[in-house]
Amino acid sequence: MRKQEFLTALKMKLSGLPKQEVEERLVFYSEMIDDRIEEGQTEEDAVLGVGSVDDIAAQIIADTPFLKIAKERMKPNRRIKAWEIVLLVLGSPIWLSLAIAAFAVIISLYVVLWSLIVSVWAIFASLAACGVAGVVAGIIFVATGNTLSGVFIIGAGFASAGLAIFLFFGCKSATKGIILLTKKIAVGLKKCFIKKENA
């Protein structure tokens, strides 16, 4: 792929972003390719060394704040006509309530996911505390002459500590998973806005 083809393809992939941002990125990658050519690479090798257009566009979209994309997308391309305003106002009891309900459902599902994660972390903390308290209490029981009860409590403390260790790795994985899901949702929303812009 040649430099101009690369820049054209990148511009098409980023067309939903603010124009100034697109121009800055195009200038950046153009200079990067020129630097590689000055170092002795062929134009095709320089473009290949920069990376694929899809990967670069995905990274740029992921790094761009959602509000910038939404603001660019919400700019009207033309003046809104009077009859369109009337239809929007008359239809607002229906479409506005449906939009609010859909937003509330999505937010509540997201909150439920995070509350599950917090609950699992709370269980981990409880098991860890029970493990420490069980071992300490068991040692106190053994020291005061209740050997059998002390050994049982120490065993229960070690069992709680072991469960806490296993649960820690599950909690860690679940937290990473929901953070990854959040990032994918954000990138997906950004791509939806950009696809609408391209259409």
Side-chain angles (χ1 to χ4, degrees):
M1 180 183 288
R2 310 220 18 118
K3 174 184 167 183
Q4 198 53 48
E5 294 170 353
F6 173 84
L7 294 174
T8 303
L10 185 60
K11 186 174 183 177
M12 286 180 58
K13 294 274 186 187
L14 301 177
S15 63
L17 296 178
K19 289 175 180 35
Q20 180 182 354
E21 179 114 5
V22 174
E23 290 303 318
E24 287 174 6
R25 300 298 180 142
L26 292 175
V27 167
F28 173 77
Y29 284 102
S30 176
E31 289 175 359
M32 184 185 291
I33 292 169
D34 288 341
D35 289 345
R36 289 173 180 261
I37 291 171
E38 286 175 10
E39 292 172 0
Q41 293 183 1
T42 65
E43 188 174 346
E44 289 81 7
D45 289 340
V47 171
L48 189 62
V50 170
S52 76
V53 174
D54 292 333
D55 292 343
I56 292 170
Q59 185 61 46
I60 292 170
I61 291 168
D63 292 343
T64 304
F66 181 73
L67 290 177
K68 265 190 178 179
I69 295 173
K71 186 178 176 183
E72 182 69 19
R73 180 68 182 113
M74 295 299 177
K75 286 182 184 173
N77 294 337
R78 59 179 176 80
R79 281 186 60 118
I80 299 176
K81 296 179 177 140
W83 65 271
E84 291 173 326
I85 294 172
V86 170
L87 281 178
L88 283 172
V89 170
L90 291 177
S92 66
I94 296 171
W95 66 261
L96 187 60
S97 59
L98 289 175
I100 291 170
F103 181 74
V105 167
I106 291 168
I107 292 298
S108 64
L109 287 174
Y110 188 70
V111 168
V112 165
L113 281 175
W114 271 108
S115 64
L116 287 173
I117 297 295
V118 169
S119 299
V120 174
W121 276 107
I123 293 169
F124 157 75
S126 300
L127 284 172
C130 286
V132 171
V135 170
V136 170
I139 291 171
I140 292 171
F141 268 75
V142 169
T144 58
N146 295 329
T147 308
L148 190 57
S149 297
V151 169
F152 177 76
I153 293 173
I154 290 173
F158 280 131
S160 293
L163 288 173
I165 290 170
F166 282 121
L167 193 58
F168 171 76
F169 293 111
C171 291
K172 189 175 168 186
S173 296
T175 304
K176 282 183 182 177
I178 197 165
I179 290 171
L180 182 65
L181 176 68
T182 302
K183 287 180 181 177
K184 285 189 177 190
I185 289 171
V187 170
L189 285 173
K190 290 176 186 179
K191 285 184 178 179
C192 285
F193 271 86
I194 290 175
K195 284 179 184 172
K196 286 181 185 177
E197 184 74 23
N198 289 337

